[in-house]
Amino acid sequence: MNKKKIFNDPVYGFITIPGSFIFDIIEHPYFQRLRRIKQLGLTDLVYPGALHTRFHHALGAMHLMGMALNRLRSRGHQISEEEKEAALAAILLHDIGHGPFSHALEKTLLSHIAHEKLSYLIMEKLNKEFNGKLDLTIKMFLNLYERKFFHQLISSQLDMDRMDYLKRDSFFTGVMEGTIGADRIIKMLDIVDDELVVEEKGIYSIENFLSSRRLMYWQVYLHKTTVCAEKMLIQIIRRAQHLSLTGENLFASEALNVFLQQKITLEDFTQNHHYLQAFTSLDDYDLWGAIKIWKNHKDPVLSLLCNQLLERKLFRIEISRTQFEEEKIEQLRKEVVKNLGLPEEHSEYFVVNGVLRNRAYLPVSNKINVLTKRGQVLDVAQAYDLPNIKAISKIVKKHYLCWPKNVSL
């Protein structure tokens, strides 16, 4: 059987699967599940073209990884075929632990379990199925391999993951400000003391990369309407879990029911394979199917939220650089109770507040290092007098407050 298949990718053109083992990973049901998880969650409610999936992104990141490794080889760095295959598998599987709607439900459907933790558990399970062929892949993923640049290519502030999602998300949303020169950055990569560096002449490409990331966060990832929609989805799951935990028999797929009827911790995942099996059967379709049924549920909170999300009758949102006064929040809750005719304790599902953070570059960890013409290795934020990079090295924090549009103060 020919396993060197070719994908026609709208971003890069033709992507070739480099070997039979990589093909087998892609063919596995765990990986195929990523076809049913949108890369940007509910962002298509703002940018209708944002319908691409985690499957697309993983293949794109693998493509960029292959380009980067070939470039480093051309510079004379020794990278074995075993190392190359392991790195390709690692970037291919780096998002395998994402659940429905990507990041939106990590703190509700799951008990604050980061997708990276689940990616590792799924890799371990796949490793058993593939008779230990992912041993080196897992070492690279966990940064336990002595050649540290492999992990930096998989997970750092200049990894193949970020390069692909910025380029891909920009393409599918149509937000051209997010466009980056991934090809040029990859051509500027080098290795010094087993650490990834960028040649000095690539400094402006890095500046553009970081600026694009910052802009994409405000215009796409933290777009106020996307934030609203995700908060509504989170409230739907919170309500569904509350009803399930108090004995209500809600319509849901078998996999979804597992996570509605109990709070599952990371320890539960490690001790009972049933939970991981349920998770790897879960995708966006489970949630949408349930929401379409729940819109007719007798519970007024659940049905109202589901109807509003399905019909795109989203909450109003206010963004502020300062924290909202508690008096305003309480007043909104009272108005919700009065306008929607709900018990006071249900107002928490309709008035939601929190904090948005934009971190384009954090020089305190995983620095982007620049190799100067004199052979020095310096942090990109310190290497040159580039006010833009220094400015985006700071964490920008904004507060948000959401509530139904038909409720006003």
Side-chain angles (χ1 to χ4, degrees):
M1 181 181 177
N2 176 22
K3 294 187 176 183
K4 289 196 173 183
K5 302 291 185 183
I6 294 174
F7 290 94
N8 194 348
D9 182 69
V11 178
Y12 307 117
F14 292 115
I15 294 176
T16 302
I17 297 176
S20 60
F21 180 51
I22 298 298
F23 177 86
D24 290 340
I25 291 173
I26 293 171
E27 283 286 277
H28 196 281
Y30 291 173
F31 193 84
Q32 289 294 314
R33 179 184 71 103
L34 298 181
R35 290 181 182 272
R36 303 186 298 277
I37 297 176
K38 280 189 291 186
Q39 172 79 1
L40 293 181
L42 293 166
T43 304
D44 64 296
L45 292 176
V46 181
Y47 299 102
L51 297 171
H52 55 303
T53 66
R54 288 278 159 189
F55 183 86
H56 295 136
H57 165 56
L59 290 177
M62 179 196 72
H63 174 68
L64 293 183
M65 177 66 84
M67 288 176 59
L69 295 175
N70 289 338
R71 180 60 181 168
L72 292 172
R73 276 178 167 179
S74 73
R75 289 182 176 275
H77 299 290
Q78 295 298 314
I79 296 172
S80 69
E81 282 301 311
E82 182 189 10
E83 288 174 323
K84 182 178 180 180
E85 183 177 75
L88 290 171
I91 197 66
L92 199 62
L93 295 170
H94 77 282
D95 273 347
I96 199 77
H98 267 295
F101 298 98
S102 296
H103 293 281
L105 300 180
E106 283 184 8
K107 296 177 182 177
T108 48
L109 200 59
L110 302 175
S111 299
H112 293 264
I113 305 173
H115 71 272
E116 293 90 350
K117 301 287 187 183
L118 292 173
S119 290
Y120 165 65
L121 293 179
I122 293 170
M123 282 187 202
E124 286 282 11
K125 195 168 188 306
L126 285 171
N127 198 30
K128 290 178 182 176
E129 291 186 31
F130 288 123
N131 299 315
K133 290 182 75 174
L134 287 171
D135 283 344
L136 184 54
T137 291
I138 292 171
K139 278 187 179 180
M140 288 178 178
F141 180 76
L142 297 176
N143 200 19
L144 298 176
Y145 190 49
E146 58 268 20
R147 305 187 74 184
K148 299 299 181 184
F149 71 88
F150 282 109
H151 179 75
Q152 290 175 314
L153 288 168
I154 297 160
S155 180
S156 68
Q157 295 199 74
L158 192 64
D159 57 33
M160 300 305 107
D161 170 34
R162 293 187 185 194
M163 280 196 211
D164 180 78
Y165 77 61
L166 284 176
K167 198 171 178 70
R168 189 167 300 277
D169 296 347
S170 171
F171 178 88
F172 280 97
T173 58
V175 178
M176 291 299 101
E177 291 86 348
T179 304
I180 63 165
D183 290 2
R184 176 163 172 77
I185 293 173
I186 287 172
K187 286 176 182 175
M188 297 297 109
L189 294 179
D190 206 343
I191 301 168
V192 175
D193 297 328
D194 270 329
E195 297 276 345
L196 205 62
V197 297
V198 181
E199 284 186 326
E200 182 177 3
K201 58 186 176 182
I203 186 74
Y204 295 111
S205 295
I206 300 302
E207 184 181 22
N208 177 61
F209 168 80
L210 294 173
S211 297
S212 296
R213 187 165 186 261
R214 177 176 172 272
L215 286 168
M216 285 293 284
Y217 263 84
W218 289 133
Q219 288 190 236
V220 178
Y221 310 131
L222 298 178
H223 189 287
K224 62 179 185 178
T225 307
T226 302
V227 170
C228 257
E230 289 189 349
K231 298 310 168 188
M232 290 177 72
L233 177 63
I234 287 169
Q235 299 314 307
I236 288 171
I237 297 305
R238 282 186 62 230
R239 188 60 182 170
Q241 282 182 322
H242 172 77
L243 293 172
S244 293
L245 289 168
T246 53
E248 183 76 28
N249 186 23
L250 283 180
F251 170 88
S253 66
E254 185 179 348
L256 180 56
N257 253 327
V258 170
F259 297 94
L260 292 179
Q261 294 175 354
Q262 53 200 312
K263 290 285 187 180
I264 299 170
T265 64
L266 183 61
E267 187 179 3
D268 293 328
F269 272 107
T270 59
Q271 293 180 352
N272 190 335
H273 75 278
H274 170 68
Y275 296 128
L276 195 62
Q277 194 60 44
F279 182 79
T280 52
S281 300
L282 203 58
D283 55 52
D284 291 3
Y285 297 175
D286 293 77
L287 268 297
W288 279 126
I291 288 169
K292 287 175 71 176
I293 300 297
W294 294 344
K295 72 174 185 176
N296 297 316
H297 196 274
K298 63 184 179 182
D299 180 75
V301 174
L302 186 62
S303 62
L304 181 55
L305 286 169
C306 288
N307 273 291
Q308 288 180 332
L309 186 61
L310 286 167
E311 296 172 11
R312 202 187 178 278
K313 294 177 180 177
L314 305 179
F315 286 172
R316 185 192 309 276
I317 185 169
E318 192 174 317
I319 305 287
S320 171
R321 290 192 175 276
T322 58
Q323 196 167 352
F324 290 96
E325 294 180 0
E326 198 60 41
E327 290 180 11
K328 181 174 182 175
I329 296 172
E330 283 304 313
Q331 184 61 36
L332 273 172
R333 285 179 176 159
K334 289 177 182 177
E335 290 298 319
V336 163
V337 169
K338 185 169 72 175
N339 278 267
L340 301 182
L342 296 171
E344 189 175 340
E345 65 269 21
H346 291 169
S347 65
E348 65 174 286
Y349 293 101
F350 295 90
V351 180
V352 186
N353 64 295
V355 178
L356 305 174
R357 291 181 175 86
N358 192 342
R359 309 168 182 177
Y361 179 57
L362 291 176
V364 293
S365 63
N366 293 322
K367 297 177 181 179
I368 297 175
N369 287 321
V370 174
L371 178 64
T372 69
K373 291 176 182 177
R374 296 182 179 181
Q376 291 179 292
V377 176
L378 301 172
D379 172 29
V380 68
Q382 306 300 325
Y384 298 91
D385 185 22
L386 296 173
N388 192 29
I389 291 183
K390 290 177 181 177
I392 61 182
S393 297
K394 299 175 182 177
I395 298 174
V396 179
K397 186 167 71 170
K398 294 182 181 181
H399 300 264
Y400 67 86
L401 178 61
C402 306
W403 70 94
K405 283 183 179 176
N406 60 342
V407 174
S408 58
L409 288 175

